[in-house]
Amino acid sequence: MSITSVFNFTFVPWFRSVAPYIHKFRHQTFVVGIAGEAIAAGKLPSLAQDLAMIQSMGVKIVLVHGFRPQVNEQLRAKGHAPKYSHGIRITDEVALDCAQEAAGQLRYEIEAAFSQGLPNTPMADSTVRVISGNFITARPVGIVDGVDFQHSGVVRKVDIAGITKTLDMDAMVLLSPFGFSPTGEAFNLTMEEVATSVAIALQADKLMFLTEIPGIRTRPDEAASEDNPIDTELPLAAAEKMLAELPRPTQPSDVGFYLQHCVKACKQGVERSHIIPYSVDGAILLEVYVHDGIGTMVVDEKLESLREASPDDVGGILQLIEPFEKDGTLVKRGRSEIERDIGNYTIIEHDGVIFACAALYPYPEAKTAEMAALTVSPDVQGQGDGERILKRVEQRARASGLDSIFVLTTRTMHWFIKRGFAPVDPEWLPEARKRKYNWDRKSQVLVKKLST
Ligand SMILES: CC(C)(COP(=O)(O)OP(=O)(O)OC[C@H]1O[C@@H](n2cnc3c(N)ncnc32)[C@H](O)[C@@H]1OP(=O)(O)O)[C@@H](O)C(=O)NCCC(=O)NCCS
């Protein structure tokens, strides 16, 4: 086979696999917060290329830049040390001057980055109109516990109409962490607060932070390891619980620093908030257009309906899976078997009716688990419930320190392959499971590795 045909063979399915995301995100609004550290690390040109491409696929983008290191650098150049209290900068006259200078400089750099268009670069023929403005009204932080924060402020109001009109002109909105009071005074804000407030005010589809941290780990206060990977999807309730258990974050490198803003946005109607590492080239493309993403997504998935099963759910589960047992899609399980294993089940329930279920049977000696009886009621199939329950089962497996999950299926292979499973020989199965494998049924075994 020639190199060209090999390339075509991989490129075409790859490009097609991205198509559903392109369709889904067209006309959606993303608010993207870029930490000043990312710009200081020289990531602006590639970030601009990626954002220009996302915008060209019909996504409306509000970009908020941070400037913490740039302001500190200006302060140091003037012989001043940055001052903080309660994790917030104290903006005196000198710091305000430095912040204004840093913001001006960064705006020029960002506008310049979006104006690139050299032939043979990803920006060739791109036209990104970047518009900034006085879209944020601020008020002072004031005096807290006797500390006067002077020109440090918090967001009071977002000019939703102004931002929406600008986005409707197909322009990208660029915001600096500044706001103005009705008396014309300027206040220094934080990038994280501006991005979160704008995402909430616009009811954006996504809030994304490009940060120095790689995402949130399953056990956030422990070091990175094979069995403590980045949690690619964190349900809102789990994120809130995690935040409550972590020490109060004050530095951007603290685990809870960005997480607290993601949780706030999620609780106020922004369904998905992401923490993405800027150190990975193309991180934002990987997060948006690849199924599992690369950072952590906090998601409000109406948790009251997605939960672990209790003995009261046995009847509902039986009712749900029976038709699929009858037509041979699922292996038959009796009431007593489900009763015995009820703790292994995860379900989705709406108004007292069970619409989806799946069970997880661990084989700890092989650091794996079988996901069995994955079923979504025919009334609600195709709405993402299958995927939602799979994510939760993966999370349960990860929390138990397992490396992979596997399924046995006769008819649903492609659904699993699309979600990161790969076929393996039945010989791969843990010994205890192999003994029960029904060689006549010829089920396909598929495995998904959980570590990232
Ligand atoms: C497989 C199943 C759990 C998926 O649930 P779901 O909520 O419909 O899934 P999602 O909404 O997350 O995904 C829907 C997508 O999967 C596709 N899909 C559904 N069944 C499929 C199958 N057997 N093979 C391949 N793709 C399938 C749908 O066409 C849809 O594709 P689209 O998004 O391109 O339109 C559900 O169809 C089901 O309960 N099937 C019967 C039981 C079963 O087969 N269980 C697996 C036993 S191992």
Side-chain angles (χ1 to χ4, degrees):
M1 219 190 275
S2 73
I3 293 288
T4 316
S5 43
V6 171
F7 175 76
N8 293 354
F9 182 72
T10 51
F11 174 80
V12 172
W14 167 81
F15 200 31
R16 285 180 181 151
S17 76
V18 179
Y21 299 104
I22 299 177
H23 297 311
K24 181 170 168 192
F25 297 137
R26 171 163 298 131
H27 308 307
Q28 289 200 354
T29 303
F30 295 0
V31 177
V32 181
I34 299 187
E37 286 78 2
I39 302 171
K43 303 293 179 189
L44 186 55
S46 53
L47 276 173
Q49 286 174 6
D50 295 348
L51 287 171
M53 191 148 75
I54 295 175
Q55 197 202 27
S56 75
M57 291 188 276
V59 176
K60 298 172 188 212
I61 296 178
V62 179
L63 185 60
V64 188
H65 73 80
F67 57 8
R68 223 170 269 115
Q70 290 81 359
V71 174
N72 291 348
E73 197 182 308
Q74 297 259 4
L75 276 168
R76 273 191 291 273
K78 291 185 174 155
H80 291 262
K83 287 182 243 166
Y84 292 91
S85 181
H86 301 69
I88 305 168
R89 185 191 292 280
I90 300 172
T91 312
D92 55 17
E93 289 296 331
V94 184
L96 183 65
D97 255 12
C98 293
Q100 284 171 343
E101 272 173 47
Q105 174 76 28
L106 283 173
R107 268 195 192 179
Y108 284 127
E109 284 179 28
I110 294 169
E111 286 171 12
F114 280 104
S115 307
Q116 305 169 71
L118 287 179
N120 299 325
T121 71
M123 294 288 280
D125 288 330
S126 78
T127 41
V128 183
R129 196 174 291 130
V130 179
I131 297 183
S132 307
N134 56 343
F135 296 117
I136 306 289
T137 308
R139 62 177 173 77
V141 172
I143 300 168
V144 182
D145 300 331
V147 180
D148 186 353
F149 284 89
Q150 303 181 50
H151 300 284
S152 293
V154 286
V155 176
R156 189 172 130 191
K157 215 167 72 194
V158 177
D159 176 8
I160 306 170
I163 294 180
T164 309
K165 269 200 180 139
T166 314
L167 291 173
D168 287 344
M169 284 164 54
D170 291 333
M172 186 181 291
V173 173
L174 171 62
L175 299 174
S176 295
F178 266 111
F180 305 93
S181 72
T183 56
E185 218 180 321
F187 286 99
N188 175 17
L189 312 173
T190 65
M191 172 278 277
E192 296 79 20
E193 201 220 344
V194 174
T196 306
S197 305
V198 171
I200 293 169
L202 294 178
Q203 288 290 286
D205 299 283
K206 280 185 189 299
L207 166 64
M208 292 194 274
F209 289 115
L210 277 147
T211 73
E212 47 273 74
I213 57 168
I216 309 291
R217 299 195 177 278
T218 309
R219 294 183 302 284
D221 41 1
E222 289 178 29
S225 68
E226 276 258 313
D227 70 342
N228 192 22
I230 298 295
D231 237 339
T232 52
E233 191 170 325
L234 201 52
L236 176 59
E240 274 189 279
K241 185 166 172 278
M242 196 181 264
L243 210 50
E245 287 163 2
L246 286 168
R248 203 178 83 82
T250 53
Q251 307 282 331
S253 51
D254 293 344
V255 176
F257 189 80
Y258 293 100
L259 189 61
Q260 61 189 341
H261 296 284
C262 291
V263 164
K264 181 175 175 194
C266 243
K267 282 173 83 171
Q268 294 186 51
V270 181
E271 224 172 83
R272 281 144 203 259
S273 302
H274 304 246
I275 299 171
I276 314 167
Y278 63 70
S279 59
V280 176
D281 188 31
I284 197 159
L285 297 179
L286 291 167
E287 183 72 9
V288 175
Y289 296 108
V290 177
H291 183 256
D292 273 340
I294 180 175
T296 294
M297 173 169 79
V298 178
V299 57
D300 179 10
E301 53 184 14
K302 312 284 173 281
L303 265 171
E304 69 277 14
S305 64
L306 175 62
R307 60 175 172 82
E308 286 163 25
S310 74
D312 292 343
D313 299 319
V314 173
I317 293 174
L318 269 169
Q319 218 174 354
L320 175 67
I321 63 178
E322 234 162 32
F324 295 104
E325 291 180 343
K326 281 213 176 98
D327 77 4
T329 311
L330 297 177
V331 177
K332 183 130 185 67
R333 284 174 180 80
R335 175 179 280 271
S336 55
E337 189 183 331
I338 296 175
E339 267 168 359
R340 184 194 67 201
D341 299 334
I342 193 70
N344 296 359
Y345 279 77
T346 301
I347 60 156
I348 297 182
E349 174 214 306
H350 301 289
D351 296 332
V353 179
I354 296 176
F355 279 89
C357 72
L360 187 72
Y361 290 94
Y363 291 87
E365 68 285 0
K367 294 203 96 181
T368 189
E370 176 176 4
M371 181 172 71
L374 170 69
T375 313
V376 173
S377 157
D379 299 342
V380 297
Q381 279 181 11
Q383 298 174 20
D385 278 348
E387 180 139 353
R388 218 166 290 146
I389 210 157
L390 166 65
K391 289 269 181 194
R392 170 55 81 90
V393 168
E394 284 176 16
Q395 211 184 8
R396 283 182 80 171
R398 258 196 218 103
S400 316
L402 303 177
D403 289 340
S404 61
I405 55 172
F406 67 90
V407 291
L408 270 69
T409 180
T410 49
R411 304 183 192 180
T412 322
M413 235 176 108
H414 290 111
W415 190 89
F416 289 109
I417 289 174
K418 201 171 160 195
R419 283 150 188 88
F421 285 77
V424 290
D425 192 276
E427 284 301 324
W428 177 93
L429 289 169
E431 273 315 311
R433 184 61 180 90
K434 219 184 312 179
R435 269 182 256 126
K436 285 191 285 175
Y437 181 81
N438 180 344
W439 295 91
D440 291 337
R441 197 171 148 86
K442 294 200 177 67
S443 297
Q444 178 69 53
V445 183
L446 296 142
V447 183
K448 181 168 184 178
K449 252 187 90 58
L450 296 174
S451 312
T452 45

